[in-house]
Amino acid sequence: MFSRRLAVAGVTALVMAGLGGCSGAAAGDAAGASTGGGSHVRTVDGATTPSPDTVSGLRDGVRHVSAVTTKATRPHLVRRCTGATRRVTHTRRTGSGKRRSVRTWYTTEHYQRCGKVRQGTETYRRVTRPEHWCVRLDDVGGNRSHDDVWYRVTHTTYTDALAADDHARLEFSPRGTGC
């Protein structure tokens, strides 16, 4: 069991060391910051080589879709305790051999029985559509036929794309497609 834990710890240390080497930014370049006068968006970890899930293209537009909430009701639960009793058995053994005897007696123990019970309803705000940020790209992956493709991105990537010039080359890791 100890050798298995040691092996798992060793593998974990190697993976963390490998990931730590990939997270550093180039000299003079802040991690996650845009370069080239705001024309290029990097991934959050500042990786210089694009990963398979990285997309690139020309900035065509940005869109912020705010969250939509609605009022809803749910049961209001409160903790309620009631006094309760239980019968407790006590046993006392004395003597040994033929003179051994067992005496049993009972007592009543008082305790609190608690649980959550419904007491009316309460209103709350339910999110029907979460907030998300989108970037539209042209020439996705250098292919001129892939235009007007929307990608959902993080708020940081959205802010960088918003600051970038129109038709500037962007590169980022999207959270999903469509907006």
Side-chain angles (χ1 to χ4, degrees):
M1 186 67 166
F2 178 74
S3 62
R4 182 175 175 183
R5 286 184 182 171
L6 186 62
V8 168
V11 169
T12 304
L14 286 174
V15 169
M16 290 179 67
L19 291 175
C22 295
S23 67
D29 184 19
S34 53
T35 60
S39 63
H40 185 270
V41 179
R42 294 214 170 200
T43 56
V44 174
D45 62 356
T48 55
T49 58
S51 64
D53 58 346
T54 300
V55 296
S56 65
L58 302 178
R59 178 192 181 274
D60 191 26
V62 292
R63 180 185 295 167
H64 172 242
V65 180
S66 24
V68 175
T69 61
T70 185
K71 285 178 79 172
T73 59
R74 62 183 169 209
H76 179 68
L77 300 176
V78 295
R79 182 180 163 141
R80 183 155 303 148
C81 297
T82 58
T85 59
R86 62 178 149 232
R87 186 176 177 193
V88 181
T89 304
H90 304 277
T91 304
R92 182 175 185 183
R93 301 179 194 283
T94 58
S96 63
K98 289 185 178 184
R99 297 178 181 219
R100 183 176 181 113
S101 66
V102 177
R103 180 175 171 252
T104 303
W105 70 97
Y106 303 96
T107 60
T108 303
E109 181 180 89
H110 296 275
Y111 68 99
Q112 291 285 318
R113 180 183 303 154
C114 299
K116 291 193 174 186
V117 296
R118 181 177 175 169
Q119 184 176 353
T121 58
E122 62 185 9
T123 59
Y124 70 102
R125 301 297 298 180
R126 184 170 55 92
V127 177
T128 57
R129 182 184 68 200
E131 179 179 33
H132 55 272
W133 301 271
C134 302
V135 175
R136 184 171 59 192
L137 295 180
D138 286 340
D139 299 341
V140 177
N143 187 349
R144 292 195 180 268
S145 65
H146 282 107
D147 286 346
D148 297 329
V149 180
W150 284 100
Y151 293 100
R152 281 194 306 264
V153 295
T154 63
H155 183 263
T156 306
T157 304
Y158 168 80
T159 306
D160 292 343
L162 189 62
D165 297 329
D166 201 25
H167 295 315
R169 171 104 12 220
L170 302 178
E171 181 178 332
F172 54 84
S173 296
R175 296 180 110 183
T177 56
C179 189

